[in-house]
Each structure stands twice: as C-alpha cells, then as structure tokens.
Amino acid sequence: MGGIGKTTLAQFIYNSNKQDFESSSYLEEIGKHSKQPFGLLGLQKQLLTDILGGRNARISNVSEGTRKVEEALQVKRVLIVLDDIDGHEELGALLGTKAFHTKSKIIITTRLLDINAWFGSISWRCQVEKLELLNDHESLELLSCHAFGSKIPMEGFKELAVELTKYCGGNPLALKVLGSSLFVDAEDPRKQSNIIEIWESTLNSLYPLKGELDCKIQGILQKSFDSLPRASNKELFLHIAFFFVGEYEDYVVKILEHDWHAKSGIMTLINKCLLTVSPSNKLIMHQLLQEMARNIVLQESKDPAKRSRVSQNYESYRLLGKGKGSDSIEGLVLDMRKLEEEMRSDPLTLKTGSLAKMDKLKLLQLKFVVLSGSYKINFPELRWLCWHGCPLETIPSGLLMSSLVAIDMSYGNLKRFEPPKVLNSLKILNLKECYELVSIHNLSRLPNLESLILWNCSNLTHVCESIGGLKSLALLDFTGCKYLMKTLKSYLNHAQQFPGVCTDAGIQQSPFLLPDSLKLLFLNNCNLVKNNDVPVVSSDQSLFYMNLGNNLFEVLPNSLNLKTLRVLELTFCPNLKCLLCLPSTLEELYTNWCFSLEKITFESTRFRLREFVYRGCNKISEIQGLFKLVPIAKHDEADLGHMKWIKAYQDYWVDLVGDEITKERYLPIQVLYEYGIMSTYLPGIRDENMPIPDYMSSIPFLSFRVPSTEKHMIRGLNVTCLYSLSGEDEDMWVLFIKISNITKGLNWMYNPMVYCQPRFYEDAVWLSYWPIGNILDTGDEINVSIVGNGLMVSECSASFVYIDDDELELENCKSYTKGEEVIGGDLSDFELTTGAYYLCRRDYFKITTPDWLKVLLGDTIPSTELRGWRKSRQTQHLKASFMELKTFRPYAIPRLNVDSRSMGMEERL
C-alpha cells in the first residue's frame, strides 16, 4: 500500500550501490509522468541518457526508444530503479520485451501484487519482495524519532504515542508525518503541558474515523485509488470501505456483484493493495485506507445530504431527524446504541419520510433505530437492507423491494415473516436471534434464496413446507430452534399413533423435506436426543457441511444423508459413543468435548480426512485407518502371538503422553496399532522373561544383516529401546525410530502417536513389532536408529520374528490389502522420495527442521517435504474440493474458535 516505504528502500539501495556499476538511472513517479503528453518518450530519453553515461539520447518515438534501451542493456552493466510502475505497458516501453542476459540490476517499485505475470514471456530472474507494515515496537520507534528526536517517547507522552501508533497501523509514512507534525522540543519543558494538550486534540480529531486525513498521507494513498482502471472498481472500493470491512467475501460479492462486478473487482482491489482477504475469508482494509475513502466522499460536499455515502452516526441521525434525505445518497449507516452514548440533547424523532427522499439508496444499515411514519417508501435500487433490532413485528411491504439481494433483520422483534410479493433477487435472509419469531410463511415467494439463517430463533414453531421447493437454497441454519424440532417430532409421533388427527391435537407444523440444493445445514443445539430425531432431511441432497453439535444423541441420527459430506461438526455431543461408516468424502471432522466417544470408522480405508480435532475426547480408543489403542487385559495370549509374555503385566499402569486422547488418563498397559506397527510400553521393567534379542547396542543405533532363512520364514522385526527423561517440557518430548533396508534402498521413519512417560530415575521400555518380513532377504543390510528429544535413549535391540515361532502368529500378522495405509499396504501418500516413508501425525517443520531430527533424516531425505500426517501432495480433485469448501463455508455464522491440537492436520491448501 502507499506510504509503506517502497520508494525509501529503493532510494537507499540505489545510493548505496550505484558506484559499483558502469552507469545508473533512477526514474521516479513513473505512473504519474507516463500519463502526461509525451511522458513515456521523456522517461525513455532520461533512461538512455543515464545508461549512456550522460550523452543525450535522440529518439523520435516510443518504439525507437524501446529498441535502443534493449540494445544498451545487452552491453552495459547498469543499476536501474523504476519507481512507482503502474502497468505492464510502462514496463514494456522502458525495458522492452526481449529476453536478455546481463549483469545489470533492475529494481521496480509498484503497488500491484500480480507483477510476476508481467515477466511471463521474458527470461528475467524476477524476485518479488512484498514489504510488510511495521510492528508495534518499530512503529513506536519511528514515531518517536520524528516527534522527540529519540527512539523512545518523552516522559508523559508514552500513552499518547502508543495510541497514535495504533492509528497509523504500522504505515511508515503516516508515522513520519504525524510524528513530525507533533514535534516536541525536549529543551523547552515549559511548553510540554501545552503540547500534551495538542497531542490529545490531534488524537480526538482522528477517532472515530471522520475522513480528516493529513493531505500528504491522503495524496500518497489516493494514488492507488486513482489508478483503478474502472469507475465500478472505485465505487466498489468506497462501498467496502464504508459498509463491508470485516464481512465475509462471499456475502459481499452476492450483494454487490450485480451493480459493481464485485467478484472481479475485489481481485483488482487486492492486486492494487487496497484490500486483503483474511484466512477466514473476511475482507480486511487498513484503517488509513478507510480514512482515505471517507475523505474522498467528504470532498463531494460539505452537506451530508448531498454526499453519496453517510456513515457517521451523528450525520445520519440529523438527516433522518430533520427530514433532509436526498437522491444523492446511495448508502447510509446509523447505529443508535453508539450514538446514545454520546448524545446530550433530547432525542429527535426519526422519520420514514426522510428515507423516502433517498430514491437512489442501495445500501441501508440501521441498528436499533426506531422510525415513525408510513412505510410506503419506494427504494427501486435497494440491494441491502440491514436493520438490527428492528422494533416491528412484521416487515412492512414498502421495505421489501424487488431489487433486494440481502435482508438482515437480526436481533429484532419480528413475530411473523411473510414476504408480501415475489422477490426474485433475494439471496440472503438473516433472522438471527429474533427470539419472538414464531412462524415463517410463503417462502415460495423467494425463489432464488441461497441462505436462510434462523440462528437462535428459540420460539420458532412453524416453517412453511415450501422451503423444500427452494432450488437454490445452499445454507440453512436451524441452530437453537428447539421448539421447531420439538413440534416436528410431536407431529411424527402423533401421526404414527393417530393417523389423520394431528391438527386436532393442536400440532400444525408438518414435517418438510429440505431442498436437494442444500450444501450447509446447521442443527446444533436443537435438542436432538434419539437417532430418529431429525425428520427434515431428504435422501437426495449433496450436503458439504453439517453441524450437529450440542445435542444428546448416542449415535448419528439415521435419517441423515452423509454420502457427500466434506465437513462434520459434532462439538459438545456428550452422549455420542461411536461414529460408524463415515463417508470417504469427509475432509474435516470436529468432535471436541464428545466425552463418551470411543470409536470412529469409515466406509473406506481410502478416506480423505485432512483435519481432525478432538479436544476433550478422552475415551477414544480407535479411529479406523489411523490408530487403535487396546489394553493388554483385552487381549488373549493368542492375539499377542510372539509378544504373549507381556500378558503378565496387564495389571500394570502407565502414564501415556503425546496426544490429546491421553490427557488426564492414567491407563493400564496398552497396545498401540498404527501404520500396521504394533507397540507397547512398559514402565521400568527389565524382565528375565523378555526374549533375548538377536542384536543389542548400548547406543541408539544398530546395524546388522539378515541371516539365512532356509528353515524359517521371517514374519517381521521386533525393535526394543530403553529411554528416560532428559527434559521437563512434556510438549517437547519426542521419540522417532528409523528402520532402513540399505540394500533395497527402503527407509521408514516412525513417530508413535502416544508413548509412556518415564518415571524419574527410571527407564521405560518401548517394544515395537514391524511386519516387514516380505522385504527382508538373506544378506540385506539393516540399520535401526532411535532419536529422542527430551527423552534419552540408553539402549536398543532388535530380533527377527519367524512364522513358526507361534502358529497363531499368522492371525496377528495378517496380510494387508493394497488399499490400507500400513506397512505391507499402500504408503504412497507418505512417500517423500523413492522408498523413503515418513510415518508421523505431527508437524515438526513449521519453520525449520529441528536439529535432533536432522540426525535421523541424514542428507538423503528432503526435510522441506515433511508436512505431518501425509505429504502435501494436492491433486486437482482435492484442489477443486477445497475451492468448493471455501465457497460454501458458512459465512453468516462465525465458526467456533477452538484452541486445540489437531491430529493429522495437513498443511492447509
């Protein structure tokens, strides 16, 4: 964005390095000069003159100038700065379009993010450096340098200085300008009290945003606005700055697309650094850019009634109170709760007649406003009606214009909603927390409705059956509609017991099918108790997202169609015991605080789960395809095969750590099954019954060769290690094992999901069995390495397991199908390089590879490829799936923000 320091940095680099080149050239404000008559020709002449060492360049047209610049750059080593490039054509005119090889350095400053696209056909080595805003500490230093002549504020000014830095939002130009304008002379303490008052006055003029921006800051920031290619882009920017900062992008696009081509326009604003989109898909704009937008509108007229947008509460209040509306106004905002905090005079009566004069009104946002007068109003262009806390019990027909795209009547007193006429343009209807709302009728008059939000409409008992005919409905939120679900269930119960007499029983709401177009369904906190408590779901839907959280069922309701589900939220379902045959399409699963949940299975071993969050689920013992945790006490000796000797320790208890499911659980000794590997942990046990290993080492490394196996077939490999505590931070404890078949070029690196916490001054034993006999041939060189972080490995050993050790071993060591993601099955998603597999459900590589793991990886494994759970290999199918998820992510209701660990969270697409 403007003022961030691009030019300043380029000037510094230029002045520091130009002496090292044959010649140099600095062209400033190219975007401004190129728009003047013969502007590009003049810039070319200056560039050529500088490159040629001061000799005047003679060129008659731009094409000739471009050719001569190209020729000069082929033979001379030059340092060039092109400051404030506005477009591709300027760059092409100044540097040409031919690929060239040179030792020259060219620095370009621009506000456009898509600069890489300019170099698609030219083999230049282009590196893009996106400058960041200053952090709080840097901002305070810069402001202090200009205001006090030192890096720290003078005594008595710190709080004011901190407030000013917050206003500037890390923008260096704003910090410099404001700091310089408030300079304090430290040698004249007599003026200090007066200067503090000046600072306080300055702060008061800045808050709240009033468009009173310093003219120098305004000029720099407005360059980006002025360079927008279309008038619709400028109008879109102003609308977003005034009304939609912090709103979800999809929501804004629906409202503004028809008039201002918002989908493409938002991308243009992003490329011009006038707007950003947060990871949660919200529109974010720097506060100074908002201020610049308000200043642009402020300059339209001193009279608010003659401006295009009115967003200051006191101005909107006076317009409505004194009947001064006009046809200039396209958007108006009034929040009475905020205004009442500042009001000192008797309140004015706000009149609907003032609105009637605004026949060009497109965007209207009222919050807790009471209007008097007739609602026979005509808003032929109104796109967005947002009236939070509306006191009316029904919506007057005069407010419901056929042009409306979105209606938001949240927190109001509505008792009945019924559109009086067909609204073909309406896509969003938000009646969130209308606690008095009882019934909704004639939804067939909203044929193109896409989102219906009834969040916490706790007294709602009737929704008309025509909801099933809404062919475009994608989002339906019944969160907290307990009475509606209760009424539907009562109808079904009476219909089963007394066919044909439900109306006589006083039950008027009959069940309804939901439309096949539905993508997102919220039924959380709906008092769903039994598995037949959801009587409203059709069998032909293509649901992407479903939220059933805060309900009391023990298994998922059997009327739900989950075949196409991508996201399932089940947070706060305390009675839920199991989730069986979840669809293979599922990509995100949230089961936080499902205290009774024990088991999860999928309909296919090739499921696509990318994110699984399960905080507080302390009873989970099996997630099919991921892990299984079983107490030794539940195993027969036959189940344990060659490890049956550990059955004697079934009454011993261990303190398992390493994952959310181990929190607050002190368990009897368990067997962990993961990736086809079988592990168990024994606390401080050195038993004479433990089999004597074939190979042993007092260091965490073993190397040996596979012996001749003429008489016995190798089933797998046992690996044992002793480890103890070497650090106190539990979150840093890690155990990794790497088994390598050097001869065949195969490597498996495995980090178990859980492990035993050793007692102080005592070793713990980790026993693991690897069913890899099918890739072990006589003479193969095998290496075993074990690495711990916060855990010190003092001994390791290994033994071969043969098929005739115990015939029942066949049952335990089954052959895995190709589809299973286990050793012996399909580990392709975990393959880093050919034959190297990373079996780990955590991400240890958020910034750099830890030193302790570099030892294990060696030089052969590219640690930059490690992402946790599985390699970040995204097929076109998954990319398309993610775009669908982003499009349909609920933008009307914020997601529950859960601070928890995620098992197997792949790097986000």
Side-chain angles (χ1 to χ4, degrees), residues 317-443:
Y317 175 70
R318 292 186 64 82
L319 283 177
L320 295 181
K322 296 188 179 266
K324 290 187 176 181
S326 76
D327 60 5
S328 299
I329 298 174
E330 296 181 16
L332 182 137
V333 174
L334 174 57
D335 186 341
M336 283 303 298
R337 285 191 173 179
K338 289 184 178 179
L339 188 63
E340 285 168 356
E341 296 173 3
E342 307 168 7
M343 285 176 57
R344 298 177 182 175
S345 58
D346 293 334
L348 297 172
T349 300
L350 306 184
K351 305 166 186 176
T352 58
S354 302
L355 291 172
K357 298 177 182 180
M358 305 179 193
D359 57 6
K360 296 289 180 62
L361 195 65
K362 294 179 174 68
L363 307 169
L364 177 61
Q365 184 183 63
L366 304 175
K367 294 187 177 181
F368 304 96
V369 173
V370 178
L371 295 174
S372 66
S374 169
Y375 284 90
K376 291 182 179 180
I377 309 171
N378 184 26
F379 296 134
E381 300 179 25
L382 190 65
R383 298 289 176 189
W384 180 49
L385 172 61
C386 177
W387 193 350
H388 288 180
C390 174
L392 304 173
E393 295 183 359
T394 59
I395 300 180
S397 60
L399 276 178
L400 298 184
M401 299 292 106
S402 58
S403 57
L404 276 169
V405 177
I407 297 174
D408 183 354
M409 306 293 282
S410 301
Y411 318 111
N413 294 332
L414 285 178
K415 290 187 176 181
R416 175 187 175 95
F417 178 84
E418 181 174 10
K421 57 185 177 182
V422 175
L423 303 178
N424 282 310
S425 299
L426 194 71
K427 295 182 178 181
I428 300 166
L429 177 59
N430 188 351
L431 303 177
K432 176 183 176 182
E433 293 197 355
C434 289
Y435 298 114
E436 305 299 321
L437 184 65
V438 174
S439 60
I440 296 175
H441 303 270
N442 286 330
L443 286 174

Side-chain angles (χ1 to χ4, degrees), residues 676-777:
I677 301 166
M678 176 181 173
S679 297
T680 192
Y681 302 89
L682 306 175
I685 296 174
R686 294 190 181 221
D687 195 308
E688 59 184 18
N689 293 325
M690 290 177 64
I692 298 175
D694 298 335
Y695 311 96
M696 182 178 291
S697 173
S698 58
I699 61 174
F701 176 78
L702 277 173
S703 183
F704 52 88
R705 291 188 178 273
V706 178
S708 174
T709 57
E710 294 179 0
K711 296 182 180 179
H712 304 287
M713 181 180 293
I714 295 176
R715 176 59 64 186
L717 189 67
N718 272 345
V719 178
T720 304
C721 79
L722 302 182
Y723 63 94
S724 58
L725 292 174
S726 63
E728 297 182 358
D729 187 353
E730 177 184 330
D731 290 334
M732 298 300 294
W733 294 344
V734 176
L735 272 178
F736 253 99
I737 184 171
K738 178 181 178 182
I739 295 181
S740 304
N741 186 325
I742 303 300
T743 305
K744 289 186 168 61
L746 296 173
N747 296 274
W748 298 275
M749 288 152 285
Y750 169 52
N751 168 233
M753 190 186 72
V754 298
Y755 40 90
C756 171
Q757 175 181 332
R759 301 185 182 102
F760 285 102
Y761 311 111
E762 186 176 77
D763 287 333
V765 182
W766 175 20
L767 309 171
S768 63
Y769 167 64
W770 297 59
I772 55 174
N774 60 322
I775 53 90
L776 297 178
D777 294 321

Side-chain angles (χ1 to χ4, degrees), residues 475-589:
L475 183 153
L476 179 58
D477 190 349
F478 279 138
T479 297
C481 296
K482 297 179 180 180
Y483 281 120
L484 178 63
M485 294 299 144
K486 183 178 179 181
T487 305
L488 289 168
K489 287 182 285 182
S490 298
Y491 184 100
L492 284 182
N493 292 335
H494 279 80
Q496 292 169 358
Q497 297 178 36
F498 311 103
V501 297
C502 286
T503 302
D504 294 337
I507 302 170
Q508 298 179 359
Q509 172 70 73
S510 59
F512 50 80
L513 292 178
L514 299 181
D516 298 340
S517 58
L518 202 62
K519 301 295 182 184
L520 301 107
L521 177 61
F522 293 79
L523 292 170
N524 42 316
N525 194 25
C526 282
N527 198 28
L528 305 177
V529 178
K530 299 178 182 178
N531 64 351
N532 61 350
D533 275 356
V534 184
V536 295
V537 181
S538 152
S539 60
D540 298 321
Q541 292 157 348
S542 301
L543 281 174
F544 275 57
Y545 173 101
M546 184 178 292
N547 191 327
L548 293 166
N550 202 12
N551 285 301
L552 300 175
F553 44 71
E554 294 185 0
V555 296
L556 286 181
N558 54 19
S559 61
L560 296 176
N561 174 21
L562 307 180
K563 292 180 181 178
T564 58
L565 207 60
R566 306 291 176 81
V567 181
L568 179 58
E569 298 218 27
L570 294 163
T571 296
F572 290 116
C573 291
N575 297 338
L576 183 64
K577 292 185 177 180
C578 59
L579 291 168
L580 304 179
C581 291
L582 291 177
S584 57
T585 58
L586 200 65
E587 298 182 20
E588 298 180 23
L589 176 61

Side-chain angles (χ1 to χ4, degrees), residues 822-835:
V822 297
I823 288 179
D826 183 2
L827 288 177
S828 57
D829 280 338
F830 305 89
E831 189 172 19
L832 302 176
T833 58
T834 302

